[in-house]
């Protein structure tokens, strides 16, 4: 008999031994991770010993119920100290990354700072960005001027404390809060003045305004890394959404945008960036920096890879397959990009939720031995509490159901807390986060149009009624229904006691006034409220009348004159406008257009174009606009703050209503080329100015018209249709216009017209090309 047949015909199984093994089998020990969130709460998660980083990230996001989660990450401190802050890699095992003793401590933070807060779809996400920026300023990570810090602190106080009330907010009411390091009483008084000016803003509004102002700081969203240049001077390299920024003594000295960088690489302690050659250069530029160690050099390189992928790519690039003799890191960003996050949020839409905002820590100043320090006041119920920090002072309050005690301990910086966590010291929770207890001020979206009657309006949605008075202007009737808290979401200024008309000074985002159709805009003049003239009302009477409308079943009905500009005529005489890079003369003619586009992309990415635009003067004080403001010409202006100069306006020669039209000659000189492009910038015609518009085209012999607006935008008429439909002919005064051709695309419509003068038919008119935006 063969050996295989012998094995197949026999076998044993020890039943008792198997049961004993099952009984005494020790379960695998779990990995304990403590995550400190931005609202100062802590949560312990247990994972398998071999769990990777994405498992902890998923549990943290699930705990917060966070949808726009790709902007956030977890940081941990290495055993070497607080200087070694690292981001948790989602693709690697947690035990291989963290070298400290258990439990492992992590800190939930913003990893990718969004360039524009309006990109964040949810108020809940903006709230976490708000908490992160508050911490960055308090820990001096985000450096900002004192005036800006006071403005931001005013928004923070409005978010947490609500409207300023002199009966509740007594003297030094801000002394318990901390906004900046080394906060003084003078700074708190500045914050108090800012807080008074933010009255009426909801927490969501105040936080959005906080982010809008914080994003303009030079250090906003900068991931800093210590380095030295080739001369040995100490600098800081910052990785941002737009590229690599160089700081020296907290001052930005250079910016390398992603569009200019071809390649990034590192070798040991040296970090290199390769830049695209300029027009006057013959080869690409290679710039090197010296880092403190090989580890920090690789961390900088990884940060550049992640930021470039997240902000610049639509889909992450998959890592290449490793070859046998491949040298170098194969690291690639493994998460979703900003584009994917925004597309996913648009697909699912807004999630209606409520959440509770966590109160800030309460501080007090304590002087010991002539030295004053800030201390944190923490409220605790000490029943069963055994672990109390040794450096605390106990203050017992009147007893309730249990003994409530306030513990005061010295304020610890973020780095000190990281050291304590790395050495295994315990950190006491400062606030217990309620489970799934959200409350939001966002207005619920209206039901789809198909489920409403034509005369109904809900949550700010309304119908539109344009009325013309002798063609001079269009008055807009706006119907607004308050939200659940009786708010309309807009502010007004002016009144008869202030000798100025009642104007809309601000419209809060995502509030009924912002969501209604037509939308209420800043600068609109309010003429009537619920059909009653308010020209004789004082400011306080107007505000009270608006608030009383919240209790009406019909809501608020405003009759407004759109976009009225009331301000001082004085404008700055001199502006410092940054110089833009231009195409060099040495560039061949065939390459000038691509080179110009590349320079424009670089300027847009670095923010130079936007900076130049914002610094342009609103009006040239050396030129006048008397003709536009004449009583006979007011009916020809769509907006009161958009008028042509007397010296450069277009004058119509043959027009029965006068020579005025709201249009201006624009001459644009192309530097170094000797070419001057000449244009005419005109407003969208009104019903009573269509004939004037075509007369201008005829006299100026303009063969191309580009319309940069649609006829109606968000319920507002932006331009009257001053052209005939396809194959139709319309007379505009002595001019006859015929539409010969029409071609539409998703974004634009291209049309061709034949323009003929009825009294000069011998000239046969001319062919006109016409482009409009959908």
């Amino acid at each position: 008999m063969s050996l295989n047949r012998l094995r197949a015909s026999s076998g044993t199984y020890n039943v008792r031994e198997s049961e004993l093994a099952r009984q005494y089998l020790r379960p695998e020990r779990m990995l304990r991770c403590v995550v400190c969130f931005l609202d100062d709460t802590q949560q312990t998660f247990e994972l398998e010993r071999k769990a990777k980083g994405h498992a902890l990230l998923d549990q943290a996001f699930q705990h917060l119920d966070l949808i726009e989660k790709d902007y956030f990450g977890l940081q941990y401190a290495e055993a070497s100290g607080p200087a070694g802050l690292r981001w948790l890699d989602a693709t690697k095992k947690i035990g291989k990354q963290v070298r400290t003793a258990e439990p492992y401590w992590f800190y939930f933070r913003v990893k990718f700072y969004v360039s524009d807060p309006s990109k964040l779809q949810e108020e809940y996400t903006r709230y976490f960005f708000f908490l992160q920026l508050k911490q960055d300023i308090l820990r001096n990570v985000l450096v900002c001027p004192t005036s800006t810090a006071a403005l931001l602190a005013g928004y923070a106080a409005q978010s947490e404390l609500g409207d300023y009330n002199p009966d509740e907010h007594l003297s030094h009411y801000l002394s318990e809060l901390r906004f900046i390091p080394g906060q003084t009483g003078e700074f708190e008084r500045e914050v108090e003045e800012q807080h008074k000016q933010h009255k009426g803003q909801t927490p969501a509004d105040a936080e959005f305004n906080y982010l809008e102002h914080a994003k303009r700081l030079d250090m906003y969203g900068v991931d800093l890394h210590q380095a030295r240049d080739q001369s040995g001077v100490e600098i800081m390299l910052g990785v941002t959404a737009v590229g690599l920024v160089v700081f020296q003594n907290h001052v930005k000295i250079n910016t390398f945008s992603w569009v200019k960088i071809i390649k990034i690489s590192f070798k040991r302690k040296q970090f290199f960036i390769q830049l695209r050659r300029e027009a006057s250069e013959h080869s690409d530029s290679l710039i090197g920096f010296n880092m403190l160690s090989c580890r920090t050099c690789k961390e900088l390189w990884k940060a550049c890879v992640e930021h470039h992928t997240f902000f610049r790519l639509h889909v992450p690039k998959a890592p290449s397959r490793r070859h046998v003799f491949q040298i170098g890191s194969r690291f690639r960003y493994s998460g979703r990009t900003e584009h994917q996050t925004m597309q996913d949020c648009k697909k699912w839409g807004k999630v209606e939720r409520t959440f509770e905002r966590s109160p800030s820590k309460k501080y007090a100043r304590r002087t010991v031995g002539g030295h004053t320090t800030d201390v944190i006041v923490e409220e605790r119920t000490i029943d069963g509490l055994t672990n109390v920090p040794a450096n605390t002072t106990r203050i017992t309050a009147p007893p309730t159901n249990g003994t409530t005690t306030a513990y005061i301990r010295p304020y610890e910086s973020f780095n000190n807390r990281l050291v304590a966590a790395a050495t295994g010291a315990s950190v006491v929770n400062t606030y217990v986060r309620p489970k799934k207890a959200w409350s939001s001020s966002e207005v619920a979206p209206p039901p789809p149009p198909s489920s409403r009657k034509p005369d109904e309006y809900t949550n700010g949605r309304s119908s539109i009624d344009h009325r013309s008075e002798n063609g001079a202007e269009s008055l807009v009737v706006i119907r607004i229904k308050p939200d659940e808290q009786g708010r309309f979401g807009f502010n007004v200024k002016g009144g008869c006691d202030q000798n100025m008309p009642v104007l809309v000074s601000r419209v809060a985002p995502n509030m009924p006034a912002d969501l209604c159709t037509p939308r209420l805009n800043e600068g609109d003049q309010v003429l009537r409220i619920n059909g009653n003239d308010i020209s004789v009302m004082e400011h306080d009477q107007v505000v009270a009348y608006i608030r009383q409308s919240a209790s009406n079943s019909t809501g608020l009905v405003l009759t407004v004159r759109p976009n009225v500009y009331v301000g001082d005529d004085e404008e700055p005489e001199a502006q410092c406008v940054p110089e833009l890079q231009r195409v060099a003369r040495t560039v061949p003619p065939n390459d000038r257009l691509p080179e110009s586009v590349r320079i424009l992309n670089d300027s847009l990415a670095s923010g130079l174009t936007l900076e130049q635009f914002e610094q342009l003067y609103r009006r040239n004080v050396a030129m006048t606009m008397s003709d536009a403001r004449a009583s006979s010409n007011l009916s020809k202006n769509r907006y009161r703050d958009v008028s042509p100069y007397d010296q450069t306006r277009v004058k119509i020669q043959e027009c029965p209503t006068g020579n005025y039209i709201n249009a201006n000659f624009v001459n644009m000189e192309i530097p170094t080329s000797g070419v001057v492009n000449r244009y005419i910038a005109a407003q969208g015609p009104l019903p009573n100015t269509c004939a004037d518009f075509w007369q201008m085209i005829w006299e100026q012999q303009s063969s191309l018209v580009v319309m940069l607006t649609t006829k109606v935008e968000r319920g507002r008429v932006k331009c009257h249709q001053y052209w005939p439909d396809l194959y139709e002919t319309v007379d505009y005064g002595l001019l006859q216009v015929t539409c010969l051709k029409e071609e539409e695309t998703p974004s634009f419509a291209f049309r061709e017209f034949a323009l003929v003068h009825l009294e000069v038919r011998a000239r046969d008119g001319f062919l006109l090309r016409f482009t409009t935006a959908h």
Side-chain angles (χ1 to χ4, degrees):
M1 182 180 295
S2 65
L3 182 61
N4 290 337
R5 294 186 63 183
L6 180 61
R7 289 175 179 173
S9 60
S10 63
T12 59
Y13 177 73
N14 194 325
V15 177
R16 182 59 177 168
E17 183 179 351
S18 301
E19 292 182 354
L20 290 176
R22 181 192 64 181
Q23 182 178 356
Y24 295 103
L25 182 62
R26 298 182 61 183
E28 182 181 3
R29 192 161 59 93
M30 302 297 286
L31 191 67
R32 294 181 65 239
C33 300
V34 182
V35 178
C36 302
F37 293 97
L38 290 169
D39 56 0
D40 292 323
T41 63
Q42 298 174 6
Q43 182 67 27
T44 301
F45 301 99
E46 293 189 352
L47 301 93
E48 297 181 356
R49 302 294 299 178
K50 298 182 179 180
K52 294 185 177 181
H54 67 80
L56 181 59
L57 284 167
D58 291 342
Q59 290 200 25
F61 295 142
Q62 185 178 3
H63 171 74
L64 295 176
D65 197 12
L66 196 61
I67 295 178
E68 296 174 290
K69 56 188 178 182
D70 302 284
Y71 295 97
F72 303 89
L74 293 176
Q75 276 191 323
Y76 63 92
E78 289 190 328
S80 56
L85 289 177
R86 309 295 180 196
W87 288 105
L88 180 66
D89 192 335
T91 61
K92 295 183 178 180
K93 296 180 180 179
I94 299 176
K96 294 290 186 179
Q97 302 181 63
V98 187
R99 303 295 184 181
T100 59
E102 289 191 39
Y104 296 157
W105 289 81
F106 296 90
Y107 299 88
F108 185 84
R109 291 176 56 94
V110 175
K111 187 175 184 179
F112 301 110
Y113 287 78
V114 63
S115 58
D116 187 357
S118 61
K119 291 182 179 180
L120 302 176
Q121 301 295 319
E122 288 203 310
E123 174 190 333
Y124 190 44
T125 312
R126 291 193 292 269
Y127 171 62
F128 283 112
F129 268 79
F130 165 71
L131 293 179
Q132 179 67 77
L133 292 174
K134 279 180 57 182
Q135 292 184 8
D136 290 345
I137 293 177
L138 182 59
R139 293 160 184 152
N140 210 27
V141 175
L142 179 59
V143 180
C144 63
T146 305
S147 58
T148 305
L151 175 63
L152 296 176
Y155 286 120
Q158 177 69 21
S159 172
E160 180 162 353
L161 305 177
D163 292 343
Y164 175 81
N165 188 343
D167 297 332
E168 298 179 2
H169 303 139
L170 304 178
S171 179
H172 305 294
Y173 72 98
L174 294 174
S175 61
E176 294 183 345
L177 303 176
R178 288 295 175 271
F179 304 104
I180 60 173
Q183 183 171 311
T184 61
E186 181 180 357
F187 177 81
E188 292 172 2
R189 287 189 290 271
E190 294 182 16
V191 177
E192 182 177 348
E193 293 300 322
Q194 292 289 344
H195 184 199
K196 295 177 182 178
Q197 299 178 14
H198 303 325
K199 187 175 182 179
Q201 295 187 19
T202 64
D205 297 337
E207 291 160 7
F208 184 85
N209 291 327
Y210 188 102
L211 299 180
E212 279 290 323
H213 287 82
K215 74 177 185 181
R216 303 169 187 171
L217 298 173
D218 287 341
M219 303 291 290
Y220 170 79
V222 180
D223 183 13
L224 290 176
H225 300 258
Q226 294 184 6
R228 295 185 179 90
D229 61 11
Q230 295 298 326
S231 302
V233 178
E234 293 188 358
I235 58 175
M236 299 291 287
L237 295 180
V239 188
T240 68
V242 298
L244 197 65
V245 186
V246 183
F247 290 91
Q248 187 174 2
N249 298 327
H250 297 290
V251 178
K252 185 192 300 184
I253 61 175
N254 207 345
T255 301
F256 304 101
S257 60
W258 294 124
V259 294
K260 296 178 64 176
I261 298 177
I262 298 178
K263 185 184 298 184
I264 54 175
S265 58
F266 72 97
K267 185 176 182 181
R268 296 181 181 176
K269 296 183 181 181
Q270 290 186 317
F271 178 78
F272 302 96
I273 58 174
Q274 185 176 349
L275 304 179
R276 182 184 289 108
R277 67 180 181 88
E278 300 293 340
S280 58
E281 298 175 346
H282 300 287
S283 60
D284 298 332
S285 301
L286 185 65
I287 301 178
F289 301 94
N290 297 318
M291 306 301 295
L292 301 182
S293 64
C294 299
R295 180 73 180 272
T296 58
C297 188
K298 185 176 181 179
E299 290 296 326
L300 172 61
W301 178 80
K302 291 172 64 176
C304 291
V305 173
E306 291 179 330
H307 278 74
H308 176 265
T309 305
F310 184 81
F311 289 106
R312 297 283 296 176
L313 301 186
H314 286 184
V315 180
K317 183 179 179 181
S320 58
R321 300 181 63 182
R322 178 180 289 274
H323 300 288
V324 178
F325 300 102
Q326 180 177 348
I327 301 176
S329 176
R330 294 176 61 248
F331 172 80
R332 291 296 183 269
Y333 176 66
S334 58
R336 295 194 306 178
T337 64
E338 184 181 41
H339 175 78
Q340 290 176 316
T341 299
M342 295 177 61
Q343 292 297 322
D344 188 60
C345 290
K346 290 179 181 179
K347 179 176 65 176
W348 293 104
K350 287 188 177 181
V351 177
E352 294 301 321
R353 67 172 78 195
T354 58
F355 65 94
E356 287 188 2
R357 289 169 167 82
S358 303
S360 300
K361 295 178 180 177
K362 303 301 179 182
Y363 292 81
R365 292 187 175 95
R366 183 176 62 179
T367 302
V368 179
H371 181 66
T372 302
T373 59
D374 287 340
V375 294
I376 301 176
V377 181
E378 300 182 1
E379 294 186 357
R380 286 288 180 277
T381 300
I382 64 171
D383 295 342
L385 182 63
T386 58
N387 187 6
V388 179
N391 57 347
T392 60
T393 302
R394 173 171 174 167
I395 304 175
T396 305
T400 53
N401 295 334
T403 303
T404 302
T405 301
Y407 292 100
I408 303 180
R409 59 187 175 91
Y411 168 64
E412 298 174 346
S413 67
F414 178 63
N415 290 340
N416 291 336
R417 290 184 63 188
L418 289 177
V419 173
T423 56
S426 60
V427 181
V428 183
N429 286 336
T430 59
Y431 177 68
V432 179
R433 180 178 182 274
K435 290 184 177 290
K436 311 302 181 187
W438 296 291
S439 64
S440 172
S441 61
E442 288 188 1
V443 181
S450 59
S451 63
R452 295 201 306 252
K453 298 179 181 179
D455 295 335
E456 285 184 326
Y457 61 95
T458 307
N459 293 327
R461 302 289 179 175
S462 64
S463 60
I464 179 173
D465 181 17
H466 294 278
R467 298 192 179 102
S468 299
E469 299 177 359
N470 299 326
E473 58 188 354
S474 292
L475 300 183
V476 181
V477 176
I478 303 177
R479 296 180 173 89
I480 311 174
K481 192 172 183 180
D483 61 6
E484 297 177 354
Q485 302 180 24
R487 300 170 303 182
F488 296 103
F490 71 95
N491 297 340
V492 295
K493 63 181 179 180
C496 66
D497 58 329
Q498 301 180 6
N499 294 323
M500 64 178 298
V502 179
L503 302 178
V504 178
S505 59
R506 182 181 180 277
V507 178
N510 297 325
M511 294 293 286
D514 178 55
L515 300 176
C516 65
T517 303
R519 179 187 186 272
L520 189 65
N521 292 335
E522 296 179 6
D524 288 352
Q525 179 183 354
V526 182
L527 302 177
R528 301 181 186 89
I529 298 178
N530 297 335
N532 298 321
D533 187 9
I534 63 170
S535 59
V536 295
M537 289 187 181
E538 297 180 355
H539 176 76
D540 293 338
Q541 293 175 335
V542 173
V543 174
Y545 196 15
I546 293 175
R547 290 178 176 174
Q548 291 175 2
S549 302
S551 59
N552 298 339
S553 59
T554 57
L556 181 66
V557 181
L558 301 177
T559 303
V560 302
R561 179 180 290 123
N563 198 23
V564 177
Y565 174 74
V566 177
D568 298 330
D569 292 335
E570 298 296 330
E571 292 287 342
E573 295 184 1
Q575 299 272 349
C576 179
V577 181
E579 185 68 22
L580 286 179
Q581 183 183 2
R582 306 187 185 279
V583 179
R585 296 184 179 182
T586 56
V587 177
N590 295 336
D591 297 338
R592 289 179 181 176
L593 179 59
E595 182 66 15
S596 177
V597 173
R598 186 188 67 81
I599 293 176
L600 179 61
N601 288 333
D602 294 349
S603 301
L604 290 172
S606 62
L608 185 59
T609 300
L610 181 61
E611 180 182 356
Q612 187 190 45
F613 175 78
E614 291 179 346
Q615 294 188 17
L616 292 176
Y617 50 76
R618 181 183 179 92
R619 182 175 67 84
N620 190 340
V621 295
M623 305 178 75
T624 60
M625 294 180 288
S626 303
D627 295 336
R629 296 174 179 176
S631 58
S632 58
N633 296 328
L634 288 178
S635 62
K636 299 181 180 181
N637 297 323
R638 179 174 293 276
Y639 306 110
R640 296 193 176 188
D641 62 331
V642 182
S643 304
Y645 296 117
D646 298 333
Q647 296 82 351
T648 58
R649 71 178 180 87
V650 180
K651 298 180 181 180
I652 307 175
Q653 302 301 323
E654 301 176 2
C655 185
T657 60
N659 67 355
Y660 176 80
I661 186 173
N662 195 315
N664 221 105
F665 288 111
V666 178
N667 297 338
M668 187 179 71
E669 181 181 359
I670 308 300
T672 71
S673 66
V675 177
V676 179
N677 290 333
R678 292 177 171 83
Y679 308 95
I680 294 177
Q683 73 173 9
L686 295 163
N688 60 311
T689 63
C690 291
D692 300 342
F693 181 80
W694 288 110
Q695 183 66 30
M696 177 188 67
I697 292 177
W698 173 265
E699 294 179 0
Q700 299 299 326
Q701 294 292 294
S702 300
S703 59
L704 176 64
V705 177
V706 180
M707 181 174 167
L708 300 179
T709 183
T710 57
K711 293 187 294 183
V712 179
E713 293 182 1
R714 296 199 64 179
R716 294 294 184 98
V717 176
K718 296 293 185 179
C719 182
H720 182 73
Q721 181 173 331
Y722 53 92
W723 65 90
D725 293 330
L726 183 62
Y727 305 129
E728 291 186 359
T729 300
V730 177
D731 293 340
Y732 296 94
L734 296 178
L735 295 171
Q736 190 177 78
V737 183
T738 304
C739 184
L740 305 177
K741 184 180 178 181
E742 184 177 272
E743 183 179 337
E744 293 190 359
T745 67
S747 302
F748 296 94
F750 301 90
R751 299 179 177 90
E752 289 187 0
F753 298 94
L755 182 60
V756 178
H757 200 292
L758 297 178
E759 294 183 355
V760 198
R761 285 187 176 274
R763 298 178 59 178
D764 291 334
F766 61 90
L767 188 65
L768 174 68
R769 289 178 294 169
F770 189 81
T771 303
T772 62
H774 278 327

